[in-house]
Amino acid sequence: MGTPTPALASDTAGPVGSAILAWIHFLGILGVAGGLVTERLVIKKNMSVDEENIINGADLIYGLSAFSLLISGYFRVTGYAKGWDFYKNEPI
């Protein structure tokens, strides 16, 4: 098996678009981690209304971050970054 050559998946995807998508992807990772840590630190029995509101906000951040992570990851594999030909041969 040969090593795939890293190349842009699309000629229309420039370096700025790829960089923005990478930042969205990394911010999604940080948002997921931050949301889970916040929920873990705040959740307990008999929570106050303020603590429930914090949990609601953390869960919203977690959900939006997970969605942005999924969508940006899809676009990084298919239309930006190195393309599917590179990633299909990479072991995870």
Side-chain angles (χ1 to χ4, degrees):
M1 283 189 195
T3 305
T5 58
L8 289 176
S10 172
D11 292 334
T12 60
V16 173
S18 182
I20 290 171
L21 206 55
W23 272 102
I24 292 171
H25 193 72
F26 296 138
L27 287 175
I29 293 169
L30 292 175
V32 165
L36 287 175
V37 168
T38 302
E39 286 183 4
R40 172 64 182 101
L41 293 175
V42 174
I43 198 163
K44 62 183 179 182
K45 289 184 179 181
N46 302 323
M47 292 190 302
S48 67
V49 174
D50 290 336
E51 291 170 329
E52 289 176 358
N53 289 335
I54 291 172
I55 291 289
N56 287 339
D59 198 42
L60 178 67
I61 289 171
Y62 175 75
L64 292 175
S65 297
F67 182 73
S68 71
L69 184 63
L70 181 68
I71 297 300
S72 63
Y74 172 78
F75 282 117
R76 289 193 74 198
V77 167
T78 59
Y80 294 85
K82 296 176 182 168
W84 178 247
D85 289 333
F86 177 80
Y87 291 111
K88 75 178 180 181
N89 295 319
E90 290 292 310
I92 295 180

